[in-house]
């Protein structure tokens, strides 16, 4: 199972955000695109992928591809799923996730607990990391990336504590959703000798 963790610094932690202004809602447009890039492929959902949106280091909205239903490729409907999850935040007590709908959950945890609850090697997608072309694709990795802002010092420390390996996806800096797509390609081509 692959896990994609997106750290969102300005995203709302309440459901009171407008679906008509997703960029103004803490770049919810970018987060929605990241979810769809991580989970959707042509005419199907990636059943072997989980996504964790860490919102303000207070809540984590989880998407589990093996159970998820009703995910569409547009930003608005994906943002609506995030909003629906946040509507259940009062029911999220401690570190027990609230199952909002099949494959959609909300838990009161930040990046530290999210990293503890993942399995497999942790890879931080970072422009200064080792090129993935020089790395063997891992099995069941946790890929961690930031939204439109850089990782903060405390987040970098948590990643260091999790033995995260910094990897770069290429010579150009990519949007989070684009980076997820490129990372999937890197992982999907294990064993391929030609295209």
């Amino acid at each position: 199972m692959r896990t994609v963790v997106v750290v969102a610094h300005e995203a709302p932690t309440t459901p009171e955000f407008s679906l008509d202004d997703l960029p103004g809602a803490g770049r919810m447009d970018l987060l929605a695109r990241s979810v769809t890039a991580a989970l959707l492929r042509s005419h199907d959902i990636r059943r072997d992928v989980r996504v964790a949106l860490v919102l303000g280091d207070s809540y984590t909205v989880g998407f589990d591809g093996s159970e998820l239903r009703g995910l569409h490729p547009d930003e608005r409907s994906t943002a609506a799923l995030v909003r629906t999850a946040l509507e259940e935040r009062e029911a999220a007590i401690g570190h027990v996730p609230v199952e909002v709908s099949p494959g959609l959950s909300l838990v009161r945890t930040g990046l530290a607990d999210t990293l503890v609850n993942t399995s497999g090697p942790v890879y931080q997608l970072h422009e200064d990391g080792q090129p993935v072309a020089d790395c063997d694709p891992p099995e069941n990795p946790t890929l961690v990336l930031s939204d439109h802002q850089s990782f903060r010092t405390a987040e970098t420390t948590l990643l260091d504590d999790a033995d995260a390996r910094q990897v770069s996806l290429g010579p150009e800096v990519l949007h989070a959703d684009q980076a997820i797509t490129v990372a999937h390609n890197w992982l999907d081509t294990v064993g391929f000798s030609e295209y």
Side-chain angles (χ1 to χ4, degrees), residues 114-134:
T114 300
L115 290 173
V116 166
N117 292 322
T118 61
S119 60
V122 179
Y123 287 77
Q124 178 188 5
L125 303 184
H126 194 282
E127 62 194 63
D128 295 327
Q130 180 181 9
V132 293
D134 298 338

Side-chain angles (χ1 to χ4, degrees), residues 71-89:
L71 181 66
H72 303 286
D74 64 291
E75 294 173 12
R76 186 181 173 96
S77 67
T78 303
L81 289 174
V82 174
R83 185 165 74 177
T84 299
L86 288 171
E87 288 170 354
E88 300 299 321
R89 65 195 181 102

Side-chain angles (χ1 to χ4, degrees), residues 2-195:
R2 292 178 196 168
T3 303
V4 177
V5 178
V6 182
V7 178
H9 295 99
E10 296 177 353
T13 56
T14 67
E16 288 80 30
F17 63 88
S18 173
L19 295 177
D20 295 325
D21 183 20
L22 296 178
R27 292 306 312 267
M28 188 60 68
D29 60 322
L30 174 65
L31 300 178
R33 286 194 307 272
S34 295
V35 169
T36 58
L39 288 165
L40 293 182
R41 59 182 177 194
S42 183
H43 305 291
D44 202 2
I45 290 178
R46 288 180 177 268
R47 305 284 174 206
D48 62 341
V49 174
R50 291 186 186 123
V51 177
L53 293 182
V54 180
L55 307 178
D57 208 33
S58 303
Y59 293 94
T60 298
V61 178
F63 297 82
D64 186 335
S66 67
E67 300 176 16
L68 193 62
R69 306 290 178 266
L71 181 66
H72 303 286
D74 64 291
E75 294 173 12
R76 186 181 173 96
S77 67
T78 303
L81 289 174
V82 174
R83 185 165 74 177
T84 299
L86 288 171
E87 288 170 354
E88 300 299 321
R89 65 195 181 102
E90 296 305 319
I93 299 171
H95 291 98
V96 179
V98 174
E99 297 301 323
V100 178
S101 63
L104 179 65
S105 64
L106 177 74
V107 64
R108 283 183 189 260
T109 59
L111 180 59
D113 290 315
T114 300
L115 290 173
V116 166
N117 292 322
T118 61
S119 60
V122 179
Y123 287 77
Q124 178 188 5
L125 303 184
H126 194 282
E127 62 194 63
D128 295 327
Q130 180 181 9
V132 293
D134 298 338
C135 303
D136 290 328
E139 289 188 33
N140 304 315
T142 295
L143 306 174
V144 184
L145 62 159
S146 186
D147 56 8
H148 62 292
Q149 295 185 10
S150 297
F151 285 103
R152 296 183 176 144
T153 302
E155 295 162 350
T156 301
T157 299
L158 289 172
L159 289 164
D160 289 343
D161 291 346
D163 293 322
R165 181 176 177 182
Q166 284 190 350
V167 293
S168 172
L169 298 169
E172 299 294 332
V173 178
L174 302 171
H175 285 262
D177 57 312
Q178 296 168 335
I180 292 166
T181 301
V182 173
H184 271 318
N185 180 259
W186 171 51
L187 298 169
D188 288 344
T189 55
V190 172
F192 280 86
S193 59
E194 62 183 59
Y195 280 88

